[in-house]
Amino acid sequence: MKDTNVIQVENLTKKFGDFTAVNAITFEVKKGEIFGFLGANGAGKTTAMKMLIGISKPTSGNAKVADFDVFTNSEDIKKNIGYMSQKFALYDDLTVKENITFFGGIYGLSRKKIEEKRCLLVEELGLHNIVNELVGSLPLGWKQKISFSVALLHEPKIVFLDEPTGGVDPITRRQFWEMIYKASNNGTTVFVTTHYMDEAEYCDRVSIMVEGKIEALDTPKKLKEQFKVNSMNDVFLKLARNIE
Amino acid sequence: MKRFIGFIKKEFYHIFRDKRSLFILFGMPIAQVMLFGFAITNEINNVDIAFFDKSKDATTQEIINKISASKYFTNKQMISNDAEIESVFKKGNIKAVLVFDRDFSEKLTKENKTSVQIITDATDPNTANTINNYLSSILQNYQQVINKQMKVPFQINPETRLVYNPELKSVFTFVPGVMTVILMLVSAMMTSISITREKELGTMEILLVSPIKPFQVILGKVFPYIFLSVINAVVIVLLSIFIFKMPVEGSLFLLGFESVLFIINALSLGILISTVSSTQQTAMMISLMGLMLPVILLSGFIFPIASMPLPLQIISNIIPAKWFIIIIKAIMLKGVGLTFIWKETLILVAMTLFFIAISIKKYKIRLE
Amino acid sequence: MSISVKNISKSFKTVNAVKDVSFEVKEGELFGLIGPDGAGKTTIFRILTTLLFADKGTATVAGFDVIEDYKEIRNNVGYMPGRFSLYQDLTVEENLTFFATIFGTTIEENYDLIKDIYVQIEPFKKRRAGQLSGGMKQKLALSCALIHKPKVLFLDEPTTGVDPVSRKEFWEMLKRLQQKGITILVSTPYMDEAALCDRIALIQDGKILQIDDPQEIVKHFPTTIYDIKADNIYKLLLALKEYKHSYSVYPFGEFVHYTDKRDAIDTKELTLFLKDKGLNNIIIQPTETTIEDTFMELAK
């Protein structure tokens, strides 16, 4: 089951004028995999991610996400993926329930299906007391957990998470990763960026971007062996330092 | 002092690097003056008119010729029955119909008294009114000419003379208004936005936690805009003198002084707005709704204050723009000196001091 | 004492942001406030930088009271707020010059202090601040906060959202500044940065959980932590949670951190239990307690 590729990227490039933000990156992500997409600030992670989720047109190269081409079928891609970013997740001035209904509606779920999903979500996350509260009044950790669940509402094949745990407390951060494990176990592919290097260890495979290029890609274990260090943090530092 | 100069320098960087605000600063005054000067006007020109002449004689023909010959009206049509009056109005081009009764001339010669009917399309009441006035005055003129020929005794002939704006050029009344609106907008909106921008960006936090004093921040924000607003005022006055041939009867120095006073007034309002709003968006909304609308509607710029209902007349007194419009009209059109407008000037000074006092009181040295 | 905070409380409308917080920072110390977003770190910073009044309690900075002597404090501290708060439309050099002038000094006068940091961004001094990368912005902000040679430096989450390389460099810079005698109060949500401070306060939900130096703080942890690993981390997590003696189970890097309700664990029994659950390649070994473990235990 894990052998089918759900993301296939070949020489994907994005240029802004003279500046090459993403420089011919090539990789693939298998079904159900947790794929860590790391890189320094300005290394081109966000730009690459935007191309994969169909909101930015690549300058050249090929990429298929959930079997759809990023050049020609970006609308189909959007239907088959979930996306959650740190900056925008849920509407602060709507209640948890209203947010769920709204996002369910956007992805064309039926009223019945939304209702069903909501009950399940309330049960799993223990939202009984807060389902009618405004999202703005909830702690960050709750918001992030709920928005991850919302990104999974329409049962996407792949879910893209852009720094989902930034600033979240350590316990919630781990609860969040348990949710990621669970999604992956259910066959959803998880594509995640993070600045926490311990989180890189949770991933099945990790890619590290430096100045628009993917400089390393493997399982955390093999990367550590390759660079002869004990932690992903050191792998990262070694890579970035070497380039400078 | 060095701090202060450093601050002002920074403000100018902000202004000159923001294309949008530069456009508002310098593009808008010119656009507004042109707009009000050329497009929006109370004057009428070449209005299409129709005549229903039941009398059909030399007198009526003479009147018709006289009207058609004027630059205000164009004779478009002769009507031959009552029903047609309605239909020409419905078509929309004809704005007025002049109806001469069957016995028009007869009555005029026998009874020395006759009447015509002026029918105007009042869907646009201002235009209808103006058309009415113009037509009446042409008829009166004609009457005076015949009266002289007939030597009828005991006639009172009111001789009207329009002073200060004899040609009734609307641009002359608009320029002071436009200048007021622009100075208010540029000064109040731009300062309030530039202060709230610092709050939004978080730089205000750093400025607060620094030895720079609150009044230095405020003055530093205000100073560049005094400078720019004065440039604006000069541009507007030059435009009106050279493009619209508007006379400036009074002293330019006095005009400059009063403008600076009004600019400071508007700036202090801008600071006041910035103390109550925390985002640029709110500052802009308050400036537009709270300042622009009253300035345009209640200052006497467009609607004469004397014809407003009493409550609005009272409210208009608290609008600085009203006093400024009175002042600059007096200076530009009447050419009067300070002795005639000291009362209005004093009101503006008092308002300015009042606004500055509350702004200083309300300006926060902390985040709460 | 360079900073002294006594029983400070502060609430906004419905939130009690800071609850009876007390701590002291010695002169020349690098003190860390460690906690997640919403823990009350920013509110404490704002109270100390005289931007907010506390509802209760007193505080002094560099010997000055935060309410009475706010003007002296504003002359003597450097402050770097949480988000990037410089003028994006001004160049690097213009920003620095501006902050130098409003503090009544010049770049040349205190160049020594910022030299280390500023040389890294000097090649870009004609570039607008808005166009700098995250790491460079942060260096510029630090230079601006230092330009007047403050006695106390307040850095509110300077490394949030910054990549590990820039973070590491940033902490190296802080260490060097500390050697120049500047007291530094820094806040961060990254637990791994805590180890770099002289002393730290762990904070969550407006309350201080513990204050100590990083080496001592982990000694408060009541029991031994075990690294456990198996071929499927998710199944391992679920299995450990089911285990009747389990006290806490958290994913931690490549391992799962496990603590037991008993004083010592029975490795054999646990291995058998996990094998029963279908797990293979099981490793169980005692490990060192980290600050993050301590934090989670205290916050539980």
Side-chain angles (χ1 to χ4, degrees):
Chain A
M1 179 178 102
K2 278 209 167 189
D3 290 316
T4 32
N5 290 336
V6 287
I7 301 178
Q8 214 156 359
V9 178
E10 250 176 274
N11 294 320
L12 198 66
T13 302
K14 177 85 186 185
K15 287 183 183 163
F16 299 105
D18 299 337
F19 177 64
T20 309
V22 175
N23 191 353
I25 56 171
T26 302
F27 64 92
E28 67 282 327
V29 180
K30 295 188 187 79
K31 187 174 189 301
E33 196 172 30
I34 302 176
F35 189 83
F37 198 59
L38 312 186
N41 295 104
K45 281 178 303 180
T46 310
T47 314
M49 196 143 160
K50 277 184 181 160
M51 290 191 279
L52 295 182
I53 60 176
I55 57 175
S56 167
K57 265 227 181 320
T59 312
S60 63
N62 286 313
K64 273 190 171 178
V65 175
D67 282 333
F68 296 107
D69 191 283
V70 290
F71 282 97
T72 52
N73 298 81
S74 61
E75 290 313 308
D76 291 311
I77 291 179
K78 288 176 194 171
K79 280 179 214 149
N80 284 286
I81 60 163
Y83 175 63
M84 169 194 166
S85 85
Q86 189 191 18
K87 285 180 202 116
F88 173 78
L90 301 169
Y91 290 101
D92 275 352
D93 53 351
L94 296 185
T95 65
V96 175
K97 192 173 162 184
E98 285 160 351
N99 265 298
I100 295 172
T101 313
F102 172 76
F103 283 103
I106 277 192
Y107 284 103
L109 300 189
S110 69
R111 218 170 261 268
K112 211 178 121 222
K113 187 89 181 164
I114 293 175
E115 183 68 30
E116 213 179 282
K117 282 274 176 189
R118 194 180 69 228
C119 292
L120 199 74
L121 226 152
V122 166
E123 201 57 48
E124 277 179 4
L125 294 177
L127 300 176
H128 306 278
N129 296 324
I130 56 168
V131 74
N132 286 317
E133 302 247 345
L134 292 183
V135 164
S137 68
L138 301 177
L140 180 72
W142 273 112
K143 282 189 209 172
Q144 300 301 81
K145 281 199 273 185
I146 297 168
S147 62
F148 179 54
S149 310
V150 167
L152 290 174
L153 268 187
H154 58 295
E155 295 167 8
K157 292 187 181 126
I158 310 160
V159 62
F160 288 86
L161 309 172
D162 193 3
E163 282 179 45
T165 54
V168 176
D169 72 83
I171 298 182
T172 315
R173 207 148 68 79
R174 288 180 168 75
Q175 290 167 346
F176 194 92
W177 270 92
E178 283 176 36
M179 291 171 70
I180 293 181
Y181 277 133
K182 192 176 168 196
S184 147
N185 212 50
N186 293 337
T188 308
T189 307
V190 181
F191 187 96
V192 60
T193 72
T194 179
H195 278 318
Y196 291 98
M197 285 304 128
D198 59 330
E199 292 186 349
E201 313 257 8
Y202 303 157
C203 301
D204 292 323
R205 280 191 311 143
V206 169
S207 79
I208 300 177
M209 257 182 109
V210 181
E211 286 169 5
K213 288 186 198 148
I214 290 186
E215 292 291 340
L217 200 170
D218 216 323
T219 61
K221 192 173 171 236
K222 288 203 178 125
L223 283 176
K224 282 182 277 184
E225 283 167 9
Q226 183 190 335
F227 288 89
K228 299 183 184 69
V229 288
N230 291 320
S231 71
M232 278 307 292
N233 196 41
D234 292 337
V235 171
F236 194 93
L237 291 180
K238 226 170 172 177
L239 248 179
R241 280 277 152 87
N242 282 344
I243 300 295
E244 269 181 16
Chain B
M1 198 57 201
K2 236 179 149 185
R3 279 176 198 171
F4 184 58
I5 292 169
F7 200 95
I8 289 175
K9 215 164 129 192
K10 183 209 76 159
E11 287 308 314
F12 276 112
Y13 285 143
H14 288 321
I15 294 166
F16 290 121
R17 281 175 195 176
D18 182 5
K19 302 235 160 54
R20 247 186 334 169
S21 62
L22 261 189
F23 178 75
I24 294 182
L25 267 173
F26 294 107
M28 207 173 57
I30 296 169
Q32 289 245 21
V33 171
M34 294 298 176
L35 205 68
F36 278 102
F38 286 121
I40 305 167
T41 156
N42 275 338
E43 296 160 43
I44 56 164
N45 273 317
N46 294 324
V47 170
D48 291 344
I49 187 168
F51 298 94
F52 184 10
D53 188 1
K54 298 181 194 168
S55 181
K56 289 204 175 107
D57 53 47
T59 326
T60 55
Q61 195 53 52
E62 202 176 335
I63 295 174
I64 292 172
N65 285 344
K66 210 171 161 66
I67 293 174
S68 313
S70 84
K71 66 168 179 173
Y72 307 113
F73 298 101
T74 312
N75 181 3
K76 268 281 143 111
Q77 205 171 341
M78 298 302 290
I79 291 171
S80 48
N81 62 59
D82 282 321
E84 240 182 298
I85 298 177
E86 181 85 16
S87 75
V88 293
F89 275 126
K90 282 200 171 146
K91 273 187 201 149
N93 292 330
I94 304 286
K95 295 290 176 207
V97 175
L98 199 62
V99 185
F100 298 99
D101 276 343
R102 196 178 299 274
D103 46 4
F104 180 83
S105 305
E106 212 178 304
K107 263 185 161 176
L108 187 69
T109 40
K110 282 184 184 159
E111 298 170 31
N112 283 340
K113 203 175 154 195
T114 187
S115 57
V116 289
Q117 199 183 0
I118 301 173
I119 309 170
T120 44
D121 176 357
T123 44
D124 182 352
N126 283 335
T127 318
N129 239 329
T130 323
I131 292 174
N132 209 351
N133 289 338
Y134 279 46
L135 278 175
S136 304
S137 78
I138 293 175
L139 288 171
Q140 246 168 35
N141 237 321
Y142 180 72
Q143 191 190 349
Q144 278 169 20
V145 177
I146 342 179
N147 282 348
K148 267 181 200 151
Q149 291 166 351
M150 295 195 157
K151 292 189 184 110
V152 180
F154 317 121
Q155 276 270 350
I156 299 173
N157 290 329
E159 190 180 308
T160 49
R161 193 164 73 86
L162 299 163
V163 287
Y164 306 134
N165 184 3
E167 291 168 77
L168 284 176
K169 281 210 168 168
S170 59
V171 66
F172 290 5
T173 63
F174 276 128
V175 163
V178 171
M179 187 154 144
T180 312
V181 170
I182 289 170
L183 291 184
M184 187 51 112
L185 187 82
V186 167
S187 312
M189 191 160 91
M190 301 298 265
T191 23
S192 64
I193 287 179
S194 105
I195 295 178
T196 43
R197 182 169 52 203
E198 301 235 13
K199 287 192 193 176
E200 235 174 86
L201 280 177
T203 41
M204 194 52 106
E205 254 178 87
I206 301 190
L207 291 183
L208 287 173
V209 187
S210 82
I212 193 162
K213 297 193 176 60
F215 80 87
Q216 287 177 318
V217 174
I218 291 187
L219 280 183
K221 284 279 170 196
V222 159
F223 188 83
Y225 289 103
I226 293 184
F227 178 74
L228 294 170
S229 301
V230 168
I231 293 183
N232 259 329
V234 170
V235 168
I236 296 170
V237 171
L238 288 180
L239 276 179
S240 36
I241 292 175
F242 291 107
I243 295 187
F244 299 109
K245 310 285 180 231
M246 181 171 179
V248 177
E249 304 282 350
S251 121
L252 275 174
F253 177 75
L254 184 61
L255 186 66
F257 164 77
E258 296 282 356
S259 303
V260 171
L261 176 64
F262 181 68
I263 289 169
I264 295 177
N265 182 294
L267 288 169
S268 52
L269 266 173
I271 297 168
L272 195 60
I273 292 172
S274 71
T275 58
V276 294
S277 37
S278 53
T279 63
Q280 296 181 60
Q281 214 179 355
T282 359
M284 190 134 114
M285 285 307 287
I286 297 179
S287 309
L288 284 176
M289 304 304 285
L291 294 180
M292 286 291 287
L293 286 181
V295 166
I296 292 177
L297 300 178
L298 292 176
S299 65
F301 167 24
I302 292 180
F303 305 110
I305 293 174
S307 54
M308 286 176 194
L310 191 64
L312 286 184
Q313 286 195 34
I314 295 169
I315 292 173
S316 74
N317 285 326
I318 59 164
I319 293 170
K322 170 191 166 172
W323 306 105
F324 184 62
I325 288 182
I326 294 176
I327 291 170
I328 51 171
K329 272 190 181 168
I331 297 174
M332 291 175 108
L333 299 174
K334 292 188 198 164
V336 299
L338 192 58
T339 39
F340 291 90
I341 47 171
W342 64 270
K343 210 177 73 190
E344 287 80 6
T345 310
L346 211 60
I347 294 175
L348 269 188
V349 171
M351 283 180 164
T352 309
L353 291 178
F354 177 71
F355 292 141
I356 292 178
I358 347 182
S359 317
I360 290 179
K361 215 168 165 236
K362 290 213 93 182
Y363 184 82
K364 294 168 192 104
I365 56 162
R366 292 190 165 80
L367 282 179
E368 290 176 298
Chain C
M1 283 303 150
S2 197
I3 300 172
S4 155
V5 178
K6 286 195 186 97
N7 308 102
I8 289 277
S9 294
K10 172 80 188 175
S11 51
F12 302 100
K13 283 173 198 154
T14 54
V15 200
N16 293 322
V18 177
K19 301 166 192 157
D20 197 32
V21 162
S22 302
F23 64 91
E24 285 184 332
V25 181
K26 290 177 208 124
E27 218 153 287
E29 198 170 30
L30 176 55
F31 190 93
L33 273 182
I34 317 290
D37 283 7
K41 302 188 300 282
T42 299
T43 307
I44 294 175
F45 271 82
R46 287 182 171 168
I47 289 170
L48 292 177
T49 49
T50 76
L51 287 171
L52 285 179
F53 286 124
D55 297 338
K56 275 194 221 117
T58 56
T60 62
V61 173
F64 300 110
D65 186 87
V66 288
I67 295 162
E68 314 251 307
D69 314 318
Y70 74 94
K71 282 186 183 157
E72 279 81 1
I73 293 182
R74 291 178 182 192
N75 270 313
N76 285 298
V77 304
Y79 173 42
M80 194 172 142
R83 49 201 175 125
F84 178 69
S85 305
L86 295 177
Y87 299 100
Q88 316 253 359
D89 54 343
L90 263 53
T91 64
V92 168
E93 199 178 23
E94 285 161 357
N95 264 298
L96 196 61
T97 312
F98 172 69
F99 284 103
T101 13
I102 65 163
F103 277 98
T105 178
T106 58
I107 300 181
E108 293 75 34
E109 203 173 318
N110 291 319
Y111 190 72
D112 268 3
L113 193 63
I114 59 161
K115 199 177 134 201
D116 271 0
I117 308 156
Y118 190 59
V119 287
Q120 301 175 51
I121 47 172
E122 213 164 10
F124 313 99
K125 67 181 181 185
K126 299 279 176 221
R127 198 184 282 187
R128 303 248 171 114
Q131 281 147 17
L132 296 176
S133 74
M136 287 204 281
K137 275 184 183 169
Q138 185 200 35
K139 281 168 197 156
L140 175 59
L142 184 62
S143 303
C144 290
L146 280 171
I147 192 67
H148 59 294
K149 213 172 185 181
K151 291 192 181 117
V152 185
L153 189 58
F154 291 94
L155 307 171
D156 192 8
E157 297 208 7
T159 54
T160 294
V162 176
D163 64 79
V165 179
S166 304
R167 271 166 58 193
K168 191 159 185 271
E169 281 174 6
F170 195 81
W171 278 93
E172 285 160 4
M173 289 188 273
L174 291 192
K175 283 280 176 195
R176 284 198 294 273
L177 284 175
Q178 193 197 357
Q179 280 155 18
K180 291 178 178 155
I182 297 174
T183 308
I184 303 171
L185 180 66
V186 59
S187 72
T188 175
Y190 297 103
M191 303 283 156
D192 53 338
E193 291 180 348
L196 303 163
C197 300
D198 295 333
R199 283 195 310 139
I200 53 172
L202 301 180
I203 179 167
Q204 177 147 357
D205 295 330
K207 273 186 295 200
I208 288 194
L209 304 171
Q210 196 135 49
I211 304 174
D212 216 326
D213 63 61
Q215 293 75 38
E216 284 301 312
I217 221 155
V218 295
K219 291 186 185 157
H220 297 290
F221 199 81
T223 175
T224 314
I225 298 173
Y226 292 88
D227 271 345
I228 302 184
K229 200 176 176 179
D231 53 353
N232 185 323
I233 296 270
Y234 181 58
K235 281 185 186 150
L236 177 66
L237 281 171
L238 295 180
L240 284 171
K241 281 185 178 170
E242 268 175 49
Y243 187 55
K244 61 183 174 194
H245 298 295
S246 97
Y247 176 71
S248 71
V249 180
Y250 294 117
F252 221 100
E254 59 180 315
F255 295 101
V256 171
H257 274 194
Y258 169 83
T259 58
D260 204 280
K261 282 181 191 148
R262 299 163 296 179
D263 288 337
I265 69 164
D266 188 336
T267 315
K268 265 185 196 154
E269 190 200 305
L270 185 55
T271 313
L272 277 176
F273 173 81
L274 293 176
K275 275 197 173 146
D276 245 21
K277 291 276 170 190
L279 289 154
N280 297 305
N281 305 331
I282 298 159
I283 300 172
I284 301 176
Q285 63 200 35
T287 185
E288 272 176 33
T289 310
T290 68
I291 292 164
E292 195 154 1
D293 291 305
T294 316
F295 188 95
M296 287 193 283
E297 176 58 26
L298 291 166
K300 216 175 176 184

